[in-house]
Amino acid sequence: MKAMVINKFGGPEVFELADIPKPEVKPGYVLVRVIASSLNPFEIKLRSGLLPEFTPPFPAILNSDVSGVVVAVGENVEVLKPGDEVYGFIGGMTDENGALAEYALVDEELLCKKPSNIDFKTAALFPLVGISAYKAIIENSRLKPGDKVLIHGAGGGVGHIAVQFAKMLNAEVYATVSNDEKAEIAEHLGADYVINYKTTDVEEYLNKYTDGKGFDVVFDTIGADNLINSFKAAKVEGLVLTTNSRVALDLTLVHHKSLTLKTIFIVLPILKKTDRSEMGNILNEMKKMIEAGNLTIYRDKTEFNFSEIINAHKYYEAGGTTAKIALINDLI
């Protein structure tokens, strides 16, 4: 089969078209004819060599998000059958190749039947960002109706899904964004208050919206150095959730405010090969929300074919993207 692979770490130019063996089905796995995927910051880090311990062996096939059609099933596959339309978060890391190919061999537990009211291109935008936001807000935030939740990066992929989940829990949502376009997205999805973090500092919005007391929950989808801002914004004994804690920080403020810090690292089931059914279960819950019209996703105005993955990475790294970038399989 044809695939877009990398044989070394580097810039976007390391991608190349290759002919590699088509995967053979094995117990518990299904073979998916890939129709679409989407681009996440995680793939940028893998390609550039920032996460070598997570990268598949060369020639590596990247991309975790997938939508497509099941064409074959292995022994012990219990739910899916040939012809099923599916979506999922399938790996593209360690010993499991990703979606940038004609076919992908996928653990059945990482997949779910595609929502019936959206196309393959839209379905492939959801898995990574949706699962991340679900685990943060639905499973771990402990939000109660009326609680104040601050979502950093609310116009981004994970952030704008998190806004919707927080509103489902009847929380009061405060969203930080970097520009007017992302502010419009956050407002449209239900954010009660939108803050441009480039023009308003933490102390200012902390005083304006909480009388200096802080937010009940802070979900930081930016993380790293921005975690300091999250610690400042959280109330005493508050909760900070983040998708990015790969940074060295002084935790004095966490101690002084008796904060709880919870990291969201959704690739663990793939890395550890345990609790993988959790991924499929979350996708199924999201499927119900999507089909009910309660969950939506924003797509960037520019999309790319798999054969244009070099340009897709360049486009992302140039900045200015809004929400998710769709990738369409033209290798078939």
Side-chain angles (χ1 to χ4, degrees):
M1 68 175 183
K2 291 182 171 59
M4 298 303 299
V5 306
I6 63 170
N7 283 293
K8 60 182 179 180
F9 298 124
E13 299 80 8
V14 297
F15 282 104
E16 56 185 285
L17 178 64
D19 283 307
I20 62 174
K22 180 179 174 181
E24 296 183 3
V25 292
K26 60 183 181 180
Y29 281 66
V30 302
L31 188 65
V32 176
R33 179 172 62 85
V34 178
I35 294 179
S37 183
S38 64
L39 185 60
N40 296 294
F42 187 68
E43 283 96 40
I44 305 293
K45 294 174 183 176
L46 290 176
R47 183 219 77 216
S48 60
L50 293 177
L51 300 172
E53 69 274 25
F54 298 150
T55 308
F58 297 138
I61 304 174
L62 305 184
N63 276 60
S64 301
D65 290 334
V66 75
S67 66
V69 179
V70 175
V71 295
V73 301
E75 296 178 4
N76 305 323
V77 170
E78 299 178 355
V79 177
L80 298 176
K81 62 185 184 301
D84 282 343
E85 299 179 349
V86 294
Y87 79 133
F89 178 78
I90 66 170
M93 64 191 77
T94 61
D95 61 343
E96 307 219 22
N97 274 316
L100 291 182
E102 291 185 71
Y103 298 92
L105 183 65
V106 188
D107 187 330
E108 179 192 29
E109 293 187 330
L110 299 174
L111 294 171
C112 174
K113 291 183 180 178
K114 179 181 75 66
S116 59
N117 60 331
I118 58 175
D119 58 20
F120 286 100
K121 183 164 57 177
T122 304
L125 303 174
F126 274 101
L128 185 147
V129 296
I131 294 171
S132 298
Y134 189 99
K135 287 190 68 64
I137 301 299
I138 302 295
E139 292 189 352
N140 287 287
S141 73
R142 308 195 300 263
L143 280 171
K144 304 182 298 296
D147 279 353
K148 294 184 176 183
V149 56
L150 177 68
I151 299 175
H152 284 305
V158 177
H160 82 286
I161 302 295
V163 168
Q164 296 172 77
F165 288 150
K167 292 307 297 181
M168 290 178 194
L169 298 178
N170 295 311
E172 197 169 273
V173 177
Y174 298 77
T176 72
V177 298
S178 59
N179 57 48
D180 291 343
E181 188 175 7
K182 293 184 177 182
E184 185 176 342
I185 291 174
E187 289 172 351
H188 182 260
L189 295 175
D192 298 286
Y193 303 92
V194 178
I195 303 156
N196 187 324
Y197 67 81
K198 291 187 174 182
T199 59
T200 309
D201 62 28
V202 177
E203 288 76 13
E204 185 177 347
Y205 63 73
L206 194 65
N207 290 326
K208 180 177 181 179
Y209 295 118
T210 73
D211 293 325
K213 296 176 182 177
F215 297 90
D216 299 290
V217 176
V218 179
F219 180 31
D220 192 340
T221 71
I222 300 169
D225 291 336
N226 192 64
L227 280 169
I228 290 295
N229 292 326
S230 294
F231 301 155
K232 292 177 180 178
K235 72 176 186 180
V236 171
E237 296 189 339
L239 170 65
V240 176
L241 301 139
T242 185
T243 55
N244 180 15
S245 58
R246 301 180 190 91
V247 65
L249 286 178
D250 182 349
L251 298 181
T252 299
L253 194 56
V254 175
H255 182 80
H256 285 177
K257 297 177 76 171
S258 191
L259 299 178
T260 299
L261 174 62
K262 170 69 177 177
T263 60
I264 305 299
F265 191 48
I266 71 164
V267 304
L268 278 178
I270 293 175
L271 298 177
K272 304 297 184 183
K273 299 186 186 299
T274 58
D275 303 318
R276 289 187 166 196
S277 61
E278 176 188 17
M279 308 290 272
N281 291 339
I282 292 174
L283 288 165
N284 192 51
E285 291 302 310
M286 288 167 47
K287 175 179 181 288
K288 296 174 186 176
M289 296 173 185
I290 295 166
E291 290 180 337
N294 296 327
L295 183 64
T296 189
I297 195 162
Y298 274 75
R299 180 190 307 155
D300 192 89
K301 61 184 179 297
T302 303
E303 60 187 44
F304 298 88
N305 292 325
F306 282 12
S307 63
E308 300 171 311
I309 191 63
I310 292 174
N311 291 333
H313 276 235
K314 287 180 177 178
Y315 176 75
Y316 180 88
E317 292 185 314
T321 60
T322 301
K324 292 299 298 291
I325 297 172
L327 302 172
I328 315 304
N329 192 356
D330 63 338
L331 305 181
I332 300 174

